[in-house]
Amino acid sequence: MKTVAVTKVGSLKDPNEETRGRVEVLDFPEQELGEDDVRLKVAYCSICGSDPHLVEGVFDLKPPFGLGHEVSGTIVELGAKAKKKGLKIGDRVAGNFLKFCGTCYYCLNGQEQFCENLFDYNRPGMAETIVWHESQVWKLPDDVSLEEACLLEPVAIAVRIVDKANMKVGQRVAISGGGPIGLLTLQMLKHFGATSLTLIEPIEERRNLAKQFGADHVIDPINQDVEVESDTITDGRGFDVVIEASGSPRAANVALEIAAKGGTVLYIAMFPKEYEMPLNLYDKCYFNELTISGIFVAPYAFPRAVQMLPKLDLEPFIQKVFPLTQGVEAFDAHMSGKYPKVLIKCDE
């Protein structure tokens, strides 16, 4: 089956063709269907901001290996025991690319994100079909299209961010970074009752989308002083919750500087592996009592994410679509930064 795969590890931004990473469309064998599994004909798989990091070799996978985890599709085959959820052939579904084992220490301790067998079942979604365990699959609401549904996984990440922020209705919130996760989280927080809701983002089109999604304020970090603007918005008190979703080391420390006393700062992007952030523990953790954390994946979030899909404005994220045979061009479009999201249509 056709699959978008990494054939050479390296940065897709590398100007040197000899060392640049490479993505190609290859033929992979179809995955075997186990008795508890579901086979999907993949409709759409969207490119995640983490996919280029996989090309860079962040998880030390050996090429060729397939890409893609933000998947929607239609069930075309069910294993003999895949009956616990009432799924049937023809159902429109999306799901969680991770299969938590359910038996290790962390799964049984309410910490599925640290499952000791987390990557045993990793399957590429930028492909004609994919096989998932029944537990990974969720039937879609009738009023959600398959294009929108491939955003279920990033919507689940936004749900997890709200969970981890532990915020209260009416708290002031800033989001640094207007990529898909930042903009979806902004919408989620708007539903949750965030105030002074602010997006910090250098790209004007993304700031405009934030306003469309209900942001109270936007800040251009290139042409405005983020700390000064934040003080103006919050009357000098800072934001109760700051979500750093850009993954830019330049923005990392600023997130701490605009947080309120007793506030929460979440670093939810995939920062460069080697980056280490300077942190004044006296000022930030002792004197100001900041809570500083991050998130890895989205355990326990998918049932609620399915419920939220019809309540979010997903239309701006599904405008740029490439066929599976143009997977390379799709990654070029993603790397250009021109589009909020790039989708690959896999059922040509």
Side-chain angles (χ1 to χ4, degrees):
M1 63 176 178
K2 292 185 181 68
T3 304
V4 178
V6 176
T7 56
K8 182 181 176 185
V9 169
S11 171
L12 291 174
K13 295 180 179 179
D14 191 335
N16 185 346
E17 191 172 344
E18 294 296 316
T19 53
R20 187 187 313 146
R22 185 180 302 124
V23 172
E24 298 180 64
V25 179
L26 303 181
D27 279 319
F28 275 29
E30 278 205 335
Q31 300 140 15
E32 291 186 11
L33 185 79
E35 59 183 8
D36 295 305
D37 291 340
V38 175
R39 188 185 306 278
L40 311 183
K41 182 181 181 182
V42 179
Y44 295 91
C45 186
S46 55
I47 298 178
C48 175
S50 68
D51 285 321
H53 294 300
L54 268 67
V55 182
E56 291 169 6
V58 68
F59 291 136
D60 299 320
L61 300 172
K62 302 300 180 187
F65 57 89
L67 290 170
H69 58 272
E70 298 178 0
V71 174
S72 67
T74 303
I75 295 176
V76 293
E77 192 176 358
L78 292 167
K81 293 185 179 179
K83 298 176 179 177
K84 298 180 181 68
K85 282 179 154 181
L87 297 170
K88 60 185 185 297
I89 291 174
D91 280 349
R92 300 160 59 255
V93 297
N96 183 0
F97 73 105
L98 295 172
K99 177 184 177 292
F100 304 117
C101 76
T103 58
C104 72
Y105 171 85
Y106 294 107
C107 282
L108 297 175
N109 196 46
Q111 296 174 295
E112 284 182 338
Q113 67 270 32
F114 304 129
C115 174
E116 293 170 346
N117 305 293
L118 195 60
F119 297 108
D120 287 356
Y121 212 79
N122 192 21
R123 308 285 176 85
M126 293 176 188
E128 294 175 289
T129 68
I130 190 170
V131 172
W132 274 344
H133 190 270
E134 180 187 22
S135 64
Q136 297 172 263
V137 178
W138 298 93
K139 189 174 177 180
L140 298 171
D142 291 338
D143 54 351
V144 174
S145 69
L146 285 167
E147 293 96 323
E148 293 169 324
C150 72
L151 300 174
L152 176 62
E153 194 273 341
V155 169
I157 293 291
V159 170
R160 176 87 200 288
I161 290 167
V162 177
D163 288 350
K164 194 75 181 280
N166 198 28
M167 65 173 285
K168 298 179 177 70
V169 171
Q171 285 188 317
R172 298 163 298 217
V173 180
I175 298 170
S176 172
I181 296 298
L183 291 171
L184 289 169
T185 301
L186 187 147
Q187 290 192 54
M188 201 73 71
L189 291 166
K190 188 71 175 181
H191 280 283
F192 201 82
T195 60
S196 299
L197 186 54
T198 302
L199 181 75
I200 304 162
E201 166 59 48
I203 299 175
E204 183 180 7
E205 290 80 5
R206 295 182 179 184
R207 295 198 301 271
N208 291 338
L209 272 178
K211 294 175 185 176
Q212 178 181 320
F213 295 152
D216 300 305
H217 307 277
V218 294
I219 299 174
D220 175 359
I222 303 299
N223 297 304
Q224 294 175 284
D225 186 307
V226 174
E227 293 181 45
V228 170
E229 296 298 322
S230 297
D231 278 346
T232 300
I233 292 166
T234 65
D235 295 325
R237 293 188 174 89
F239 293 98
D240 302 299
V241 175
V242 180
I243 312 293
E244 210 311 296
S246 75
S248 168
R250 289 176 296 178
N253 266 105
V254 177
L256 297 172
E257 298 303 324
I258 63 175
K261 292 178 183 294
T264 295
V265 182
L266 296 181
Y267 292 91
I268 62 88
M270 187 182 284
F271 279 80
K273 258 179 120 173
E274 69 283 359
Y275 174 66
E276 295 185 7
M277 182 181 73
L279 176 65
N280 188 313
L281 292 173
Y282 174 88
D283 180 42
K284 304 307 178 190
C285 294
Y286 171 67
F287 192 73
N288 285 299
E289 292 191 16
L290 295 185
T291 298
I292 304 169
S293 188
I295 70 161
F296 176 38
V297 290
Y300 317 109
F302 278 81
R304 290 172 291 144
V306 171
Q307 296 295 105
M308 289 303 296
L309 278 176
K311 299 182 180 299
L312 301 176
D313 182 359
L314 302 177
E315 194 67 25
F317 301 101
I318 61 173
Q319 298 303 310
K320 194 65 176 175
V321 183
F322 289 84
L324 181 59
T325 52
Q326 294 180 18
V328 176
E329 291 85 350
F331 268 83
D332 288 342
H334 171 83
M335 297 303 294
S336 75
K338 294 178 181 178
Y339 310 101
K341 197 76 169 167
V342 175
L343 274 58
I344 295 177
K345 181 175 171 55
C346 298
D347 57 347
E348 300 175 68

